Every structure is written in C-alpha cells, then in structure tokens.
Amino acid sequence: MPCLHPGMTLGSPAPPGMPRLYPGMTLRSSAPTLGCPLEAPAHPPWDGGLRRACPRRGRHYWVPVTRRLFGGQIVGQALVAAARAVGEDMHVHSLHCYFVRAGDPGVPVLYQVERTRTGRSFSVRSVKAVQHGKPILICQASFQRAQPSPVQHQFAMPAVPAPEELLTQDELIHKYLQTDFSLRGRRESLWSQQRTTPLPRGLGFSAALSRDPNLVEKYRQGLNKMLAQNVPIEIKPVNPPDVFHWQPQEPKQLFWVRARGYIGEGDMKLHCCVAAYISDYAFLGTALLPHRQHTVEFMVSLDHSMWFHAPFRADHWMLYECESPWAGGSRGLVHGRLWRRDGVLAVTCAQEGVIRVAETPIESKL
C-alpha cells in the first residue's frame, strides 16, 4: 500500500508540474514512497515485556549495478522505522549507522526497533536491519522535542551557480555520448605535444586509447548503463568532472540534489528519511578524486552518520558540499553538508568506507 501524506489521497492533484500519487508508484517515479516501504506484522513480539520490539519489513526500489542493496535505502528505511516508534512531537537530530554485511536485493529487510530510552526532551531508538537471520545494518537514532536557544551559529554556504544554470547528470551523460571520442583523443594528443610540460603518463584519454582500442565502446556502454539505472535522485554537478582526463583533483565536490517527484510540506520526519537516502549517493567517491589514476577494485561504506539542524524539503534543490579530509589504510573519510537554497545549513553528514585499488605494476628500468 503506497504512502499518502497529510491532505493527500490516492490520485489527488499535486502542484503544477509535479506527478500525482497512484497505487503502485515506486521510488523510481516518486521519492515519497521511501517513507512507506515498511509493513508491520499483525502481532509484533515483545522482548521480555520491558521494551516492545517493533519489527517492520522493507521493500527494495533502486538497486545499484553492484547488485547489492543501496546503503542509503537501508539508512532511510531504518530511520522510517525508528521515527514511527516516537511521538509526533519528537524529531530526529542525529543518527549513527554501521553497515555490517552486504544487503541482498533478492529478499526483504526486517527492521527491528528497540525503544532504548524515552525521555522528556530526548529519546533514542535502536534499529537492526536483518536479512537471512543476520544483521546487515545497526543504527541508533536520537530524537528531540523542539527547544529554542540563543546559542546559534553556522558556516557560510559556498557561492555557486543556481541549479537552473546547470545541466543534470543525465543531460551531461547525453552530452558525453554525442562526443566523438576518437576525435577527442587525437585533439588531446596534439594539445599534449604543444605543452611545455607533458601530461603524467597514463592520465590522458589518448594514452588510454592507445593501450585499449575498445575503450571508446566501453565508455559508451558504461555511460548507457548509468542512464539505465533510473536513480530516484536528481543531481546537477557544479563542476562536472572531465571524463577525458584523469588528473588528480582536490577531494572536494559540489552538486545540487533533490528527490524526484513531489513530497510536499508533509511530515518533516519523511523529509529527513529521504535526505538519509540522498546523502549516501556518490558520497564516498569524493575520497577518490585525488586518485583517479587508480583502478578501484572494491569500495563499500563502513558507517554513516547524520546530524539534522534545520527544517528542509528533500524535493527542493539543496546544495551538497562534500569533502574528504583523509584517506589511508585502504579507507577513506568523507564529510558532507546539505544547504538549503536560502543559505541555511540543514544537514551534516560523515562516512568512512573501504577503498581498495589495483596494485600499480612497477615498470622495469633495465
């Protein structure tokens, strides 16, 4: 049963330009369904009669090409389960999650909620996402009743072009697909010859093309696969990477993001759940920007934390500022900030993940 938001019914009209909600709509067509993939059994069990365990079952929507469950989906659904176990006047202010096993897209996820603490100002809920009888994610979320305070400050939002001035990720891919890759390689070769300082070996498109004649077709296949994923997030990179060069870049990136479809004012808890989904997309890749010359063999998130600062709408454009202060030991650390268009800092994120790359063969100098 699809989820309806306050004041809306099945098939009810949405604001102009936004899709309506119909039975069977999924995350591919409307991000609001993230808030309603959890079904409760008729008789939830009790854990010793002290705290009620609230198991809920989650469905899957978008599955990455890795054929593992998307971490953002598990975090978002875990937050849905936790939010349903607190009062209407309690709102999430932080969550901390550990990914302990890979998710299987072939079976549902069972979310077990424990009421760890219920206080007058703060309440904590612990969630365990289970598949095949074993946890795949462990999450703790803390909720707070609104409390005004004169102690307030925040960083300044970066100055960037408005989202209306930028191309979406899909539009950029279409633009790349129209490129004559072979001609680009020849132009790059001539440009490289005219430089007083040559490009580092192996970082240019022409160099890679000379080593692999099938590279052009591989590029096209890879870009078409990206288009076919139907990611339920709209993305507009502020500084799109040049797919024809692999020079190391500063480990920072900026892009505008929003959920596809219409959510509306609705419940702030739902917008936080959708933001949890959005925050995991392309996040860890920030740590790879200084190391684009390496071939990634394995990359997976280890944990994910979020702090919610101010109300926002996940179906409105927000600026996602990502940076990686450190990488080493086959791990990378990334920090993120979600900014509202009016300059208010809405969410702060942090994540660490495993990053393993192919060993670079050492060339003989004999």
Side-chain angles (χ1 to χ4, degrees):
M1 180 71 180
C3 178
L4 301 179
H5 306 292
M8 299 188 71
T9 59
L10 283 176
S12 65
M18 292 296 185
R20 300 162 72 189
L21 294 178
Y22 293 99
M25 288 189 74
T26 68
L27 190 58
R28 289 173 182 242
S29 56
S30 182
T33 55
L34 175 66
C36 44
L38 307 182
E39 303 166 355
H43 302 287
W46 292 75
D47 57 342
L50 298 178
R51 303 184 182 91
R52 192 169 187 175
C54 310
R56 295 184 180 272
R57 189 172 291 108
R59 301 194 303 271
H60 314 315
Y61 296 102
W62 175 68
V63 178
V65 294
T66 59
R67 305 311 301 167
R68 301 175 179 220
L69 286 182
F70 175 51
Q73 173 192 311
I74 308 303
V75 174
Q77 290 182 343
L79 183 53
V80 170
R84 289 182 177 179
V86 297
E88 292 294 325
D89 60 342
M90 302 291 286
H91 297 279
V92 63
H93 71 87
S94 69
L95 64 85
H96 305 278
C97 304
Y98 281 97
F99 301 100
V100 293
R101 288 180 179 85
D104 180 0
V107 298
V109 180
L110 183 66
Y111 293 88
Q112 301 174 344
V113 183
E114 178 186 355
R115 290 178 169 87
T116 307
R117 180 183 185 275
T118 301
R120 287 181 295 181
S121 298
F122 292 88
S123 294
V124 177
R125 297 294 180 263
S126 301
V127 184
K128 186 183 295 183
V130 179
Q131 281 187 323
H132 305 292
K134 298 180 179 180
I136 63 172
L137 174 133
I138 298 172
C139 175
Q140 284 198 322
S142 183
F143 298 80
Q144 179 189 19
R145 284 189 175 87
Q147 296 179 358
S149 171
V151 181
Q152 297 184 21
H153 73 268
Q154 68 163 55
F155 284 171
M157 176 179 172
V160 298
E164 292 78 13
E165 303 175 22
L166 302 170
L167 296 177
T168 66
Q169 182 170 267
D170 289 353
E171 291 169 339
L172 286 168
I173 292 175
H174 281 296
K175 181 180 178 180
Y176 292 147
L177 286 171
Q178 295 171 1
T179 301
D180 185 337
F181 288 92
S182 299
L183 178 61
R184 177 62 187 255
R186 292 195 295 271
R187 285 177 177 172
E188 182 193 271
S189 179
L190 291 173
W191 174 75
S192 179
Q193 293 173 13
Q194 295 171 356
R195 286 171 54 94
T196 56
T197 304
L199 285 170
R201 182 172 181 176
L203 296 184
F205 182 77
S206 59
L209 187 62
S210 65
R211 294 196 300 268
D212 186 357
N214 298 319
L215 185 62
V216 171
E217 184 58 29
K218 290 179 181 178
Y219 255 76
R220 295 192 184 280
Q221 290 177 1
L223 292 172
N224 279 309
K225 284 182 179 179
M226 292 176 66
L227 281 177
Q229 288 190 61
N230 292 326
V231 180
I233 307 168
E234 285 189 85
I235 301 172
K236 290 192 173 186
V238 174
N239 295 303
D242 188 346
V243 299
F244 304 102
H245 293 91
W246 298 303
Q247 291 98 331
Q249 299 180 358
E250 189 178 13
K252 295 182 179 181
Q253 58 178 342
L254 295 160
F255 43 91
W256 291 97
V257 293
R258 70 178 178 184
R260 296 185 189 273
Y262 174 76
I263 300 178
E265 296 294 339
D267 185 356
M268 186 59 213
K269 292 179 181 178
L270 177 59
H271 286 279
C272 290
C273 296
V274 176
Y277 186 104
I278 292 174
S279 67
D280 190 41
Y281 187 78
F283 194 22
L284 189 56
T286 309
L288 284 172
L289 293 178
H291 314 285
R292 300 178 70 193
Q293 69 273 26
H294 293 289
T295 301
V296 178
E297 292 188 333
F298 183 78
M299 185 169 69
V300 66
S301 304
L302 290 172
D303 55 31
H304 193 84
S305 296
M306 300 181 70
W307 296 265
F308 300 88
H309 311 305
F312 62 90
R313 283 186 55 170
D315 56 348
H316 285 182
W317 287 115
M318 291 190 292
L319 181 67
Y320 200 8
E321 179 187 10
C322 304
E323 59 185 6
S324 175
W326 174 88
S330 294
R331 304 190 318 278
L333 177 66
V334 287
H335 295 161
R337 288 182 282 272
L338 279 167
W339 300 88
R340 294 188 335 205
R341 292 192 65 166
D342 60 359
V344 172
L345 179 60
V347 184
T348 298
C349 313
Q351 184 179 98
E352 188 176 46
V354 176
I355 301 176
R356 296 192 180 115
V357 299
E359 293 291 338
T360 304
I362 300 175
E363 296 183 6
S364 173
K365 297 183 179 180
L366 297 178

